[in-house]
Amino acid sequence: MDDEGDLVLTAAQHDADVAAERSRVTVRTLHTHEELAGARRLWDAVWPSPTGTEVTSNHLRAIEHSGGYVGGAYDGDDLVGACLAFVGRSMGSHGYHVHLHSHMAAVLPRAADRGIGTAIKLHQRAWALWHEIDRIVWTFDPLVRRNARLNLAKLGGVGVEYLVDFYGRMDDALNKGEPSDRLLLQWDLAAQRVADALAGTTVPLSRDGWVAVGAEDALVADVHGPHVLEATSPVRLVALPPDIVAIRHEDAALARAWRLAVREVLEPLMSNGGRVVALTTDGHYVVEVGS
Ligand SMILES: CC(C)(COP(=O)(O)OP(=O)(O)OC[C@H]1O[C@@H](n2cnc3c(N)ncnc32)[C@H](O)[C@@H]1OP(=O)(O)O)[C@@H](O)C(=O)NCCC(=O)NCCS
């Protein structure tokens, strides 16, 4: 590793330590049978399903043994968050690029919004850089605003692909009954935009702030639900529901309308090279249209 790489790694380790301390957890990789079983129990609690989590203990063991990442956040002796990632690759302009594909990250609801999700991600980032991997990708449900805030605003990732019904039918309590559309997030670990997001130096704008600099609404919402609009600006704004998880419980038709409206706008934009580059302070995606 060269001097610049050393500096990035030292800073990443520092970021991870600060985040863990701030959220009052210890984050570390998991290896023993008991630790891996604890991660499975945690995922079962976050995604309750009739069959239990689909990743078995022997898959976890194989993934961590073959160079993947299984990490956990402990509050004392209590496992409150866990994350799984395996090594992947994607074709870029200079051939294959190796990355970490982060498949599941979860924090127990009773420990949510304490910064633990951020602490796990920053541990995973330092771990990846240490293992000479400079990119982590993962999918997330584009309708879930908490995840959008974590991934885009707090971590500085970029949405690069819209995946329609990516996992097919899902039977866990968070996803049941909904097409499993996902946004693929790319987190370039040594990028300046990531360092800025982590340092809190990226100034977040509201929807009005983005409109003032030329962005245009492509999706808005009122009491009746979401509405798709014609737009031509190179920067488009896509409204999100404040809490899709609650809407799914209360009004399945409205939840479906949100899924289809966001898909209608994002899928063609992103198929043509568009990128989700930010989340406004009031919950709109900011999409730069492909050139
Ligand atoms: C996604 C998840 C891991 C985040 O964990 P967490 O510990 O709550 O994350 P953090 O506290 O670091 O960050 C969450 C941020 O979202 C914010 N937030 C919460 N609800 C929000 C909402 N409705 N709209 C916008 N932001 C919201 C929180 O305030 C926090 O930001 P802040 O620190 O600036 O206040 C956790 O919510 C989870 O396990 N979800 C279910 C599983 C899941 O969806 N996993 C991800 C895909 S695999």
Side-chain angles (χ1 to χ4, degrees):
M1 198 174 292
D2 58 16
D3 288 352
E4 198 183 327
D6 276 345
L7 284 177
V8 171
L9 184 55
T10 305
Q13 190 58 58
H14 174 75
D15 291 340
D17 292 344
V18 169
E21 199 175 320
R22 196 175 288 155
S23 56
R24 305 182 307 284
V25 289
T26 308
V27 188
R28 58 179 173 78
T29 50
L30 308 181
H31 303 278
T32 68
H33 295 298
E34 186 39 46
E35 287 170 343
L36 298 175
R40 293 190 74 238
R41 283 194 295 275
L42 186 138
W43 293 322
D44 277 343
V46 173
W47 288 284
S49 83
T51 48
T53 183
E54 287 157 356
V55 183
T56 61
S57 292
N58 61 9
H59 286 132
L60 289 176
R61 189 84 166 107
I63 289 167
E64 68 85 24
H65 192 257
S66 60
Y69 171 95
V70 188
Y74 287 86
D75 185 350
D77 292 334
D78 199 9
L79 186 70
V80 289
C83 181
L84 156 68
F86 43 83
V87 177
R89 60 179 186 157
S90 57
M91 184 53 88
S93 44
H94 304 292
Y96 278 113
H97 191 116
V98 172
H99 61 244
L100 205 56
H101 183 100
S102 187
H103 182 53
M104 297 201 295
V107 170
L108 290 175
R110 64 178 159 79
D113 297 336
R114 244 173 73 181
I116 298 172
T118 306
I120 295 174
K121 282 311 205 187
L122 293 187
H123 179 269
Q124 193 183 42
R125 171 174 176 253
W127 183 95
L129 287 167
W130 178 252
H131 290 85
E132 301 185 353
I133 295 173
D134 65 359
R135 176 177 292 166
I136 304 180
V137 305
W138 63 92
T139 66
F140 72 101
D141 184 338
L143 296 180
V144 181
R145 217 151 100 171
R146 169 190 277 119
N147 294 17
R149 168 153 176 74
L150 173 62
N151 296 336
L152 294 160
K154 295 183 70 173
L155 300 177
V158 176
V160 294
E161 203 176 343
Y162 190 91
L163 303 158
V164 175
D165 202 21
F166 187 53
Y167 298 114
R169 185 181 134 163
M170 299 178 85
D171 286 328
D172 67 87
L174 290 189
N175 294 297
K176 196 172 165 64
E178 274 296 300
S180 55
D181 290 21
R182 294 291 182 266
L183 200 55
L184 184 72
L185 190 96
Q186 184 169 307
W187 199 29
D188 283 324
L189 306 179
Q192 189 57 44
R193 110 176 227 114
V194 171
D196 291 344
L198 297 176
T201 51
T202 312
V203 180
L205 295 179
S206 65
R207 173 208 165 266
D208 291 353
W210 278 98
V211 169
V213 293
E216 227 181 316
D217 287 313
L219 182 70
V220 294
D222 62 20
V223 286
H224 303 294
H227 303 281
V228 175
L229 302 178
E230 286 291 326
T232 54
S233 162
V235 183
R236 313 268 169 93
L237 300 170
V238 178
L240 290 183
D243 185 352
I244 190 68
V245 179
I247 294 175
R248 281 180 187 145
H249 283 122
E250 290 154 13
D251 188 341
L254 180 60
R256 180 57 66 99
W258 270 109
R259 171 64 85 217
L260 297 181
V262 169
R263 178 193 290 177
E264 186 181 335
V265 176
L266 281 186
E267 198 279 326
L269 280 177
M270 300 190 75
S271 296
N272 287 309
R275 296 278 185 267
V276 180
V277 295
L279 183 75
T280 69
T281 50
D282 39 9
H284 297 62
Y285 283 130
V286 180
V287 186
E288 282 178 3
V289 173
S291 44

